Amino acid sequence: MKQQKILVAYGSKHGATTGIAREIGRTLEQDGFDTDVVPASDVQDVTQFDAVILGSSLYAGHWQRDALSCADRNAEALAHRPVWLFSSGPVDSSAEQQEIPPVPGAAKAMEYLQARGHVTFGGSLTSETPGWIARTLVKHGKGGDFRNPEHIRTWAHEIGNQLRSQNSA
Ligand SMILES: Cc1cc2nc3c(=O)[nH]c(=O)nc-3n(C[C@H](O)[C@H](O)[C@H](O)COP(=O)(O)O)c2cc1C
């Protein structure tokens, strides 16, 4: 059977979401898929992919513009292939305790892309994160790295399982 090709595209301001996208890509590679992990701004054509995973970090309740533009620009092709979305943000344990629904922009993209699923992963904000907001939060003992590799891998495996069973149907 032909190896399925999966695109993992991401919008990331300071690299935390890049790490999540790479973990998803690594997991799916180990599961036998051919994956490309690329910034959403670099995605011009998705037609060579059998499935697409698109994610973004959250800032003030919004997806990154790069990720939203990627969804818009490729809307037609994306609506014709399996798509999953993810968000990354909360710098506390909330994403591990409950399902956090997509922010309005991501929910809208889910609808017009007919995405099969969405998940919100914990984010990361540390002393390495640039900017005064991050600096102030970290100084007051807030923030931290709340990305959970196990959660990310489990979600990626589920996608792999769905694609495999669909391909063998
Ligand atoms: C100014 C600012 C605003 C943020 N707003 C949100 C938010 O609205 N919701 C959320 O879940 N996380 C929010 N975060 C946390 C980021 O989404 C988190 O740090 C994320 O992992 C950053 O990913 P990136 O480095 O890939 O951009 C905010 C962080 C900063 C610094």
Side-chain angles (χ1 to χ4, degrees), residues 12-17 57-61 64 88-91 123-125 133:
S12 175
K13 202 164 170 184
H14 300 307
T17 312
S57 50
L58 296 169
Y59 285 86
Q64 298 275 331
S88 86
V91 280
S124 176
L125 192 155
I133 295 181

Side-chain angles (χ1 to χ4, degrees), residues 1-2 4 33 160-169:
M1 201 178 296
K2 181 184 149 274
Q4 292 186 75
F33 295 90
N161 289 342
Q162 283 191 41
L163 288 172
R164 220 190 310 276
S165 60
Q166 166 194 299
N167 209 31
S168 62

Side-chain angles (χ1 to χ4, degrees), residues 3 9 15 22-23 31 35-36 41 52 59 89 101-102 120 127 138 146 154-155 163:
Q3 195 182 31
R22 287 187 181 147
E23 189 68 53
D31 285 353
T35 64
D36 274 8
S41 53
V52 178
Y59 285 86
T120 302
S127 53
V138 171
F146 289 87
T154 301
W155 189 70
L163 288 172

Side-chain angles (χ1 to χ4, degrees), residues 18-162:
T18 311
I20 294 174
R22 287 187 181 147
E23 189 68 53
I24 293 170
R26 240 188 329 265
T27 304
L28 287 163
E29 282 276 336
Q30 286 162 2
D31 285 353
F33 295 90
D34 179 13
T35 64
D36 274 8
V37 181
V38 298
S41 53
D42 290 354
V43 178
Q44 296 306 333
D45 182 11
V46 301
T47 55
Q48 59 179 302
F49 297 96
D50 299 296
V52 178
I53 299 171
L54 173 64
S56 174
S57 50
L58 296 169
Y59 285 86
H62 292 278
W63 258 31
Q64 298 275 331
R65 194 184 303 269
D66 281 0
L68 286 172
S69 308
C70 175
D72 278 352
R73 191 167 67 240
N74 296 287
E76 202 178 321
L78 287 170
H80 286 98
R81 42 190 42 75
V83 171
W84 285 265
L85 305 183
F86 71 91
S87 303
S88 86
V91 280
D92 55 29
S93 57
S94 56
E96 297 306 309
Q97 285 157 4
Q98 70 219 32
E99 248 183 59
I100 299 180
V103 296
K108 195 170 146 208
M110 279 206 71
E111 223 175 283
Y112 71 75
L113 302 178
Q114 296 164 49
R116 297 190 177 192
H118 168 273
V119 66
T120 302
F121 294 119
S124 176
L125 192 155
T126 67
S127 53
E128 322 262 286
T129 310
W132 67 269
I133 295 181
R135 213 165 36 245
T136 309
L137 285 169
V138 171
K139 199 166 120 198
H140 289 91
K142 301 257 185 345
D145 189 346
F146 289 87
R147 293 171 297 175
N148 177 344
E150 221 28 68
H151 189 186
I152 297 165
R153 283 197 283 267
T154 301
W155 189 70
H157 282 312
E158 280 166 13
I159 291 177
N161 289 342
Q162 283 191 41

